[in-house]
Amino acid sequence: MEQHASNVNSKRGANALRVALANASATDLVATLGFSCYIVWELLGVFDTLPFIAPAFPAEQLPLLRVCLFLFLSIGFFAAMKTAVRVRRQARLFLVLGGASTALVLVLALTSTAIEDPPLWLGIVAWSVFGVSLTGLMAAWAVYFSRRFGTTTPLVITTGYAAGFGLFLLLSALAPVGGTPFFLLAGIIVAVSTIGFLAFLLLAQPQEGQETVDASDLDQHPRTMRLAPPRMPFARTLHATAYGVSYGFTITFLLSTGTASAVIGAIGGLAGCVTALVALSRNRLATGSDIRRITFIPVAVALLFLPIGAPSSYILCSLPIIAATIFTAVTSWVAVALDVDRKGYDPVTAFASNKWPGWFGFFLGTFASTIVIEAAPSLFTIVVAGLVAFICVSFAVFELRIYEDRHDEARSERRSNGENADGADGGGTHEKRFQARCDGIARAYGLSPRESEVFRLLAKGRNAEYISQELCIARPTTKTHIQHIYQKLTINSHQELIDLIDSRE
């Protein structure tokens, strides 16, 4: 039975990927290009070894500047998580915030490279504003993906990540021959591109079958009720923080290997993107519990071998950690967009609450590794052991929470089905009777297996858009199935279908 379910999921996943590719449009291509440019912009801050802003400051100042970046990034997400649900015209606000802070970063970068010996305060301001820039642009992209969610959205996010890491790998390979002016130009190009593409997407007219949404009125989108999502469970928060700490801790040591660290980071990120594409092809991209189990072993084991010796251990251990982190990052983007689309959550609040623990963990990991490198190298092994223990504890807490959730869901399902405490059936269930009526009508009127699936969802009151997403089929195909069902049942409306079901009682 489990093997059959796995085969069904695999077929549905492959079908979902085919549908996404078949439905991809010029707008999706623009979104992919724009999002990939944002990924490059983000990586210019995470991997500061490229001659963007970093070469203008002494090497001993860079750890402090990176700490400032991730401190302001985590503060920005925390502030967005607490206030975004009360903010009107979110798309415009965060797009302007991201664009203005990005422009200021570029001005500060040009200023710092023009000064022979730039002061430390200029670097602190530049990297802090970089954190605000990432916060604003990420929130704006979250609004776009959440409010325009469709069958192609997971593909756009995944390929956008892959293209971004591919472009960053190309830039990293050019580091030996490209000077500071070249990388400043590259930074300007990707920054202007992601802002320009995003502005176009938020203001562009939707495709046929989508609702018309203007960027100035996205907060009043009828499919989004501006609800604050429930508080992120403690287990997930702890787990995300632990992964963020391990990522920030490892990246800092990888950067000590020099400009080659950017190439290594890009390769690790591409490995995570490939894994995400495989998960997308199997329809498993947004299953958080499975993803955390998959990524636990490479992260924990890689950290254990980190103290063996530089630079080989830094390189070998960082690859699986970066791949696992990027894999989880892709899935979190997709999962949040899906939750917002189906549950009506506020997109920025949902995205910020999901991302904030990870970025705060990144700040803690960067801060801890900076202390180890600068002040207490002898504590390296002890700190790594503590970090591995922290990850193991967070994973255990997460697994315990998943077990409790499933137990509660099982009990709730038994109660809703009319079963008593020992699991005995308490006289049959409404769901079983409803299913039997649907199956009887499907057989009586000669509905095909696919038409029967669509019919059952119609009987529950679902619309064509929901059915397309649930069954991973194109919307025109769904409408064709509905038309055939109406013809076979000799009805003309959804209400007549519901009446037919009720009369079967």
Side-chain angles (χ1 to χ4, degrees), residues 120-145:
L120 178 60
W121 66 264
L122 182 62
I124 293 176
V125 172
W127 288 99
S128 300
V129 175
F130 208 130
V132 177
S133 167
L134 295 182
T135 302
L137 292 179
M138 268 192 273
W141 275 109
V143 172
Y144 170 74
F145 287 132

Side-chain angles (χ1 to χ4, degrees), residues 438 441-460 462-464 467 471 473 476-498 500-501:
C438 291
I441 292 174
R443 289 193 300 269
Y445 289 89
L447 300 184
S448 68
R450 177 59 86 180
E451 290 171 351
S452 299
E453 290 180 309
V454 175
F455 172 71
R456 282 191 289 269
L457 291 173
L458 287 171
K460 293 181 178 180
R462 308 303 189 186
N463 59 21
I467 295 172
L471 300 182
I473 56 179
T477 305
T478 302
K479 291 184 176 181
T480 300
H481 286 315
I482 294 174
Q483 182 180 5
H484 291 167
I485 291 170
Y486 281 14
Q487 291 173 351
K488 291 183 178 180
L489 270 57
T490 64
I491 58 176
N492 297 308
S493 68
H494 199 172
Q495 184 58 51
E496 290 184 40
L497 185 146
I498 300 297
L500 179 62
I501 297 290

Side-chain angles (χ1 to χ4, degrees), residues 18 58 109 126 146 152 161 176 182 200 202 236 304 318 413 419 431 448 495:
R18 287 196 299 269
S146 300
T152 59
Y161 255 97
F182 170 79
F200 168 77
L202 290 173
R236 287 181 59 191
L304 284 174
S318 64
E413 184 177 356
E419 298 178 7
E431 178 65 26
S448 68
Q495 184 58 51

Side-chain angles (χ1 to χ4, degrees), residues 49-105:
T49 54
L50 295 182
F52 182 52
I53 307 177
F57 298 92
E60 59 269 15
Q61 294 180 356
L62 294 182
L64 173 62
L65 301 182
R66 297 183 72 249
V67 169
C68 293
L69 164 64
F70 299 115
L71 173 62
F72 272 81
L73 183 58
S74 58
I75 291 175
F77 270 109
F78 184 79
M81 178 179 65
K82 293 297 184 181
T83 62
V85 73
R86 298 188 294 272
V87 173
R88 293 183 58 80
R89 299 185 177 181
Q90 285 182 347
R92 177 174 296 177
L93 172 65
F94 286 103
L95 181 60
V96 170
L97 175 65
S101 54
T102 299
L104 183 55
V105 170

